[in-house]
């Protein structure tokens, strides 16, 4: 392969460094109306009435809608492919505006005005009367006997409970000589913090509602808006320009359904609905907080005889992606170490907190923290080597996961571990740091992960691609799959160039999706696009190539099977001698007086396979015990994501994921008033998003395998880098101090109490 | 609503705007001058996506009143590309080092890096990190952004040395 596997600059880099790249906010015309939402200032209750008289008096107000004016339709918001099987459909549990308020910040009314100041002022002047109920802010409170139902459809507030058992746990633990290790682990609510706020603008044109939105999933947004408004799919058109980050938050319908309704209310005039940063924190989606109880029975040689897990996931107010996250987490618990009997029980629970949805790696950072912390706890209890313990029990090549049939088609995990170990000199340092006594101590830690590529067989995996040849021999590449910053457009262009035998400058990516014209794809999530959509690119390129060669054969009076394309030239297969250029074929195909034809291709790919990506993080830290502070001295992630498509963007994904993992492990969490449920740190000053100064030098390394199921041997990469960082830091802290801290972030206020309990503070 | 005329230099050209006195500089630059490289990520000076240079110093234009721009020289990202479309070395370095992902924070980062790359005193990586810590990025982990700035700074110092010798 000539192009695949090289390091190329992004196809959108120039537009982005010159300010030419257009984002949703750059496409709003100067005369758009501005919408603002009134959010509830109580977490649990019922709106009984509004007094809008003062709000209507604000000059410039065009329309005011309340929860009493919206269609009586409950709709789902999760960005999943729709299931025609009722049992697998997402939970429809919210309206465009809600009378029954379920979190502090729920949408209860909206104002459309001629300018932002008027809209903001009118929202402030709406008076609300309501009945307030006791907010249920924790899983324990929501599950307590007698707790009121947050949604009438789920009286005990449990959204879903699920369980599985592989082998017999009860039989397995009867084996003599087993060592029992038990632990509780907890992860916090955090937020995606894409730098572009949540926004969309909507208008009507040619009888359709057009929504321009910062979304990862334009085709799914069209389906959700159609359900929310009770109108046809064809009555809606979604346009997705460049977006300022997604990380899963935009794998959900956010502002779009309400905004579509608002433009209908004002006769199709353009309406911009842009959340503030505070609203983006509180009123979009967050990462699920989870709690895990793990019990392991381990043989003296370190092999796992039996393990059990009980998991609780805090869903917040609305179902969104609901149980899919914790289900993914407990499946990951099984897949990573598929040894012995394994038993799981998982609960997703409604609470009166902001809604949790998808976020980078979808439940796996949560289980990754719990599981990899627990494995170090096992090593500590048994005296076994942390690496040997993992390699003995981890997934091996050829593994077939019993419930899902997902097969390990390739693995470089053992090599990843070796590479990381050699870089950090982990074993040597681990021993050296084992018995320190000073106030400032060093420690090393590591953690591994496995991650599925896409969502098969849980959900549909489909993708389509279109290529249209221009008269100069260049082509438009059009994808339903979306560029969200991860570099999708660039790798799709590389795949097209590679398969067609053309150079990169001939591939024009149409980055903007428009559901009226863009081929179907479910969008950017699950690290699926290079794997699933990449296959659509490959198939379309093959189809286009065969059409070009057919026409060339006609022109040259040769057989198409004997021709190939190399460097934009038609050549004799295996000979390489240029016969004619693709440009000449393109011109003739367009203007031939005897045989003109439009050379274009469109193919869709229905993916019915999956494969595991793997990786490891090794970290070295310094702990200042009196200051209760952790400083990262060195950190490396080593990934097996199959063959790399673009080394530059691959490395970028690893850096970004590591940074998000460092934030998750050390700094980030959303804080709520325990009385009212109000979010307390809903801004970028009080929420500790890492700055460049807080970030250590990041090292990204790879072990390349050639996955037989990937279109170019490739596997998932976008999400995985975030997974192993937090547990590696926690295990480094354990190595440094002997103190096991089982919840993140490992910030000073947590370390203070942990160190005090351990008696190492004085 | 009170309006006021503001006269200032934007990217080398003298401009005059009649603006609502409540407007921020970022609103004036986006709304009146169509300079869309200025991004709003927070509107309160936390994220740095709206960074522009005012008389050579980086400011969050979202919390700088438009009326304060009277008589000032303002440089935005658009001003780094010349009239023939040739981009500056720092923009090229952001491309080559993979310092761009979603691109939303990129204009602010490039503007914040200008005082570093135009300074005669070489900045360490640590100092570069400090000087751009008013700009937030969620995609890159900052690694390649620091690389791009460091590389351009070194290149410019070399160039200045070279021209000094002549």
């Amino acid at each position: 392969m000539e192009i695949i596997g090289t390091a190329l600059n992004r196809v959108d880099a120039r537009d982005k460094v010159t300010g030419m790249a257009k984002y949703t906010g750059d496409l709003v015309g100067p005369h758009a109306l501005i919408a603002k939402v009134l959010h509830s200032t109580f977490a649990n209750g019922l709106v009984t009435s509004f007094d809008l008289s003062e709000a209507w008096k604000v000059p410039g107000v065009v329309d005011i809608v309340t929860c009493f004016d919206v269609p009586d339709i409950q709709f789902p918001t999760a960005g999943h492919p729709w299931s025609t099987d009722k049992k697998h459909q997402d939970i429809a549990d919210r309206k465009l505006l809600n009378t029954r308020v379920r979190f502090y910040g729920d949408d209860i009314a909206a104002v459309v005005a001629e300018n932002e100041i008027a809209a903001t002022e009118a929202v402030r002047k709406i008076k609300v009367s309501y009945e307030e109920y006791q907010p249920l802010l924790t899983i324990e409170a929501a599950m307590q006997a007698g707790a009121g139902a947050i949604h009438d459809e789920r009286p005990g507030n449990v959204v879903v409970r699920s369980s599985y058992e592989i082998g017999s746990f009860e039989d397995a633990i009867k084996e003599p000589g087993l060592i029992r290790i038990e632990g509780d682990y907890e992860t916090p609510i955090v937020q995606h913090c894409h730098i572009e706020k949540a926004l969309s603008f909507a208008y009507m044109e040619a009888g359709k509602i057009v929504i321009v939105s910062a979304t990862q999933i334009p085709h799914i947004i069209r389906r959700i808006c159609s359900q929310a408004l009770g109108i046809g799919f064809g009555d809606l058109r979604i346009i997705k320009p460049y977006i300022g980050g997604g990380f899963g938050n935009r794998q959900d319908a956010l502002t779009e359904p309400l905004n579509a309704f608002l433009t209908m209310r004002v006769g199709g005039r353009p309406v911009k609905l842009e959340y503030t940063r505070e609203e983006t924190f509180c009123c979009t989606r967050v990462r699920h907080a989870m709690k895990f109880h793990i019990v392991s029975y381990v043989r003296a040689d370190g092999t796992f005889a039996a393990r059990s897990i009980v998991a609780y996931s805090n869903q917040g107010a609305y179902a969104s992606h609901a149980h899919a996250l914790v289900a993914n987490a407990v499946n990951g618990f099984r897949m990573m170490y598929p040894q012995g009997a394994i038993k799981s029980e998982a609960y997703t629970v409604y609470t009166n907190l902001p809604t949790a949805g998808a976020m980078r790696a979808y439940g796996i950072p949560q289980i990754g923290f719990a599981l990899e912390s627990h494995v170090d706890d096992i090593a500590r209890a048994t005296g076994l080597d942390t690496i040997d313990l993992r390699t003995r029990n981890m997934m091996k090549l050829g593994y077939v996961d019993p419930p899902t049939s997902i097969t390990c088609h390739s693995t470089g995990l053992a090599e990843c571990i070796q590479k990381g170990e050699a870089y950090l000199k982990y074993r040597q340092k681990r021993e050296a740091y084992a018995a320190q006594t000073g106030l400032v101590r060093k420690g090393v830690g590591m953690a591994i992960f496995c991650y599925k590529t896409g969502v098969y067989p849980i959900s549909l995996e489909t993708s389509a691609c279109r290529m249209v040849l221009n008269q100069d021999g260049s082509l438009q590449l059009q994808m339903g799959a979306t560029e969200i910053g991860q570099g999708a457009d660039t790798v799709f262009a590389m795949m097209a160039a590679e398969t067609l035998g053309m150079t990169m400058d001939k591939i024009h990516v149409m980055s903007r999706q428009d559901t009226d014209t863009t081929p179907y794809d479910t969008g950017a999530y699950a690290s699926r696009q290079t794997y699933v959509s990449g296959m659509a690119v490959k198939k379309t390129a093959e189809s286009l190539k065969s059409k070009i060669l057919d026409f060339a054969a006609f022109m040259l009076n040769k057989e198409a099977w004997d021709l190939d394309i190399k460097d934009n030239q038609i050549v004799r297969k295996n000979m390489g001698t240029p016969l004619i250029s693709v440009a000449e074929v393109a011109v003739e195909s367009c203007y031939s007086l005897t045989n003109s034809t439009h050379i274009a291709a469109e193919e869709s790919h229905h993916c019915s396979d999956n494969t595991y990506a793997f990786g490891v993080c090794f970290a070295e830290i310094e702990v200042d015990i009196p200051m209760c502070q952790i400083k990262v001295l060195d950190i490396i992630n080593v990934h097996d994501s199959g063959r790399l498509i673009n080394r530059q963007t691959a490395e970028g994904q690893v850096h970004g994921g590591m940074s998000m993992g460092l934030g998750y492990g050390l700094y980030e969490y959303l804080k709520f008033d325990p009385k009212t449920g109000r979010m307390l740190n809903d801004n970028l000053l009080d929420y500790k998003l890492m700055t460049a100064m807080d970030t250590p030098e990041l090292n990204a390394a790879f072990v390349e395998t050639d996955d037989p199921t990937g279109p170019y041997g490739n596997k998932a990469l976008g999400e995985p880098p975030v997974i192993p960082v937090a547990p590696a830091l926690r295990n480094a802290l354990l190595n440094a101090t002997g103190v096991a801290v089982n919840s993140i972030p490992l910030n000073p206020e947590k370390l203070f109490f942990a160190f005090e309990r351990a008696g190492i503070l004085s | 609503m009170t309006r006021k005329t503001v006269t200032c230099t934007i990217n080398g050209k003298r401009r005059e705007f009649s603006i609502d006195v409540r407007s921020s500089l970022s609103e004036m630059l986006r709304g009146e001058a169509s300079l869309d490289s200025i991004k709003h990520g927070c509107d309160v000076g936390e994220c740095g996506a709206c960074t522009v240079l005012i008389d050579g110093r980086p400011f969050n234009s979202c919390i700088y009143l438009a009326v304060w721009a009277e008589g000032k020289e303002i440089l935005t990202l658009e001003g780094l590309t010349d009239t023939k479309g040739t981009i500056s070395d720092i923009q090229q370095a952001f491309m080559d080092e993979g310092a761009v992902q979603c691109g939303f924070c990129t204009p602010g980062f490039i503007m914040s890096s200008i005082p570093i790359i135009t300074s005669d005193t070489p900045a360490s990586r640590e100092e570069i990190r400090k000087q751009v810590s008013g700009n937030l990025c969620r995609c890159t982990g900052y690694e390649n952004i620091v690389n791009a700035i460091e590389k351009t700074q070194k290149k410019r110092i070399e160039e200045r040395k070279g021209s000094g010798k002549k």
Side-chain angles (χ1 to χ4, degrees), chain A residues 181-188 290-294 365-378 380 664-665 726-727 729-731 733-734 738-746 750-751 753-755 757:
Chain A
I181 298 103
E182 186 172 7
D184 288 288
Y185 308 89
E186 197 173 342
T187 64
M290 292 189 194
K291 290 182 178 187
F292 303 95
H293 181 69
I294 302 176
Q366 290 93 319
I367 191 64
F369 174 72
L371 178 57
E372 289 300 286
S373 297
H374 184 70
V375 172
D376 261 43
D377 291 349
I378 294 173
R380 198 165 170 237
Y664 195 48
L729 296 169
R730 179 269 186 196
N731 291 339
L733 177 66
L734 178 63
V739 181
V741 182
N742 289 355
S743 73
I744 42 177
L746 304 170
K750 186 164 294 156
L751 296 189
F753 293 109
F755 291 166
R757 270 196 307 274

Side-chain angles (χ1 to χ4, degrees), chain A residues 588-623:
Chain A
E588 186 61 20
S589 75
C590 215
Y591 302 115
S592 165
L593 291 173
T594 56
N595 193 23
S596 85
T597 178
H598 181 214
I599 297 184
E602 178 166 343
E603 298 292 338
S604 75
H605 175 60
H606 178 98
C607 175
S608 50
D609 211 336
N610 202 320
T611 193
Y612 301 97
F614 298 93
V616 61
C617 175
F618 281 88
E620 181 172 4
I621 63 169
E622 187 175 86
V623 189

Side-chain angles (χ1 to χ4, degrees), chain A residues 124-139:
Chain A
R124 273 198 208 118
K125 289 190 169 169
I126 296 174
K127 294 191 189 83
V128 191
S129 302
Y130 51 85
E131 281 172 29
E132 208 173 338
Y133 315 142
Q134 182 63 33
L136 304 168
L137 302 177
T138 62
I139 288 169

Side-chain angles (χ1 to χ4, degrees), chain A residues 145-164:
Chain A
I150 293 171
H151 292 265
D152 290 342
E153 299 89 337
R154 300 271 190 301
N157 293 322
V158 173
V159 186
V160 178
R161 174 196 175 276
S162 67
S163 63
Y164 69 75

Side-chain angles (χ1 to χ4, degrees), chain A residues 549 558-564 571-575 579:
Chain A
L549 293 181
K558 289 197 181 332
E559 296 293 334
W561 58 260
D562 195 31
L563 300 176
D564 201 354
V571 297
R572 284 283 294 281
K573 212 173 245 173
N574 306 325
M575 306 261 291
L579 303 170

Side-chain angles (χ1 to χ4, degrees), chain A residues 516-660:
Chain A
D516 266 11
T517 53
T518 306
Y520 185 79
D521 190 294
T522 48
Y525 55 86
S527 302
R528 60 182 287 280
Q529 291 193 157
T530 50
Y531 185 76
V532 177
S533 312
M535 197 63 97
V537 178
K538 191 177 188 181
K539 281 168 80 170
T540 310
E542 283 164 353
S543 168
L544 187 81
K545 184 175 179 180
S546 114
K547 288 179 184 186
I548 294 170
L549 293 181
D550 279 347
F551 203 90
F554 156 77
M555 286 171 70
L556 298 165
N557 201 19
K558 289 197 181 332
E559 296 293 334
W561 58 260
D562 195 31
L563 300 176
D564 201 354
I565 306 176
K566 201 172 171 356
D567 291 335
N568 314 318
Q569 303 291 321
I570 310 291
V571 297
R572 284 283 294 281
K573 212 173 245 173
N574 306 325
M575 306 261 291
T577 336
L579 303 170
I580 188 174
S581 70
V582 173
E584 286 168 286
V585 176
V587 167
E588 186 61 20
S589 75
C590 215
Y591 302 115
S592 165
L593 291 173
T594 56
N595 193 23
S596 85
T597 178
H598 181 214
I599 297 184
E602 178 166 343
E603 298 292 338
S604 75
H605 175 60
H606 178 98
C607 175
S608 50
D609 211 336
N610 202 320
T611 193
Y612 301 97
F614 298 93
V616 61
C617 175
F618 281 88
E620 181 172 4
I621 63 169
E622 187 175 86
V623 189
D624 184 327
I625 295 172
M627 295 302 288
C628 301
Q629 269 184 339
I630 291 175
K631 185 181 173 193
V632 178
L633 301 176
D634 202 354
I635 187 160
I636 186 169
N637 266 28
V638 190
H639 287 263
D640 162 23
S641 290
R643 288 185 74 127
L644 300 180
I645 308 294
N646 183 336
R647 278 165 204 286
Q648 189 200 79
T649 52
E651 199 176 72
Q653 286 303 292
V654 178
H655 290 158
M658 289 175 79
S659 162
M660 200 177 266

Side-chain angles (χ1 to χ4, degrees), chain A residues 52-131:
Chain A
L52 305 177
S53 53
E54 291 303 310
W56 272 115
K57 286 180 193 163
V58 176
V61 170
V62 177
D63 196 12
I64 304 177
V65 290
T66 74
C67 52
F68 302 115
D69 305 322
V70 297
D72 187 20
I73 300 173
Q74 293 198 167
F75 63 95
T77 65
H80 292 143
W82 187 238
S83 174
T84 50
D85 175 1
K86 265 203 148 58
K87 286 201 300 281
H88 288 112
Q89 288 174 357
D90 291 315
I91 297 166
D93 66 351
R94 73 160 75 201
K95 295 181 187 171
L96 292 172
L97 297 165
N98 295 294
T99 307
R100 174 69 176 88
V101 164
R102 298 176 175 103
F103 75 104
Y104 196 112
D106 212 337
D107 305 348
I108 56 175
V111 172
V112 180
E114 281 165 9
N115 59 65
E116 190 169 342
I117 291 170
T120 307
E121 203 177 331
V123 160
R124 273 198 208 118
K125 289 190 169 169
I126 296 174
K127 294 191 189 83
V128 191
S129 302
Y130 51 85
E131 281 172 29

Side-chain angles (χ1 to χ4, degrees), chain B residues 3 64 82 89 106:
Chain B
R3 296 193 79 85
Y64 190 96
D82 74 14
D89 52 0
T106 305

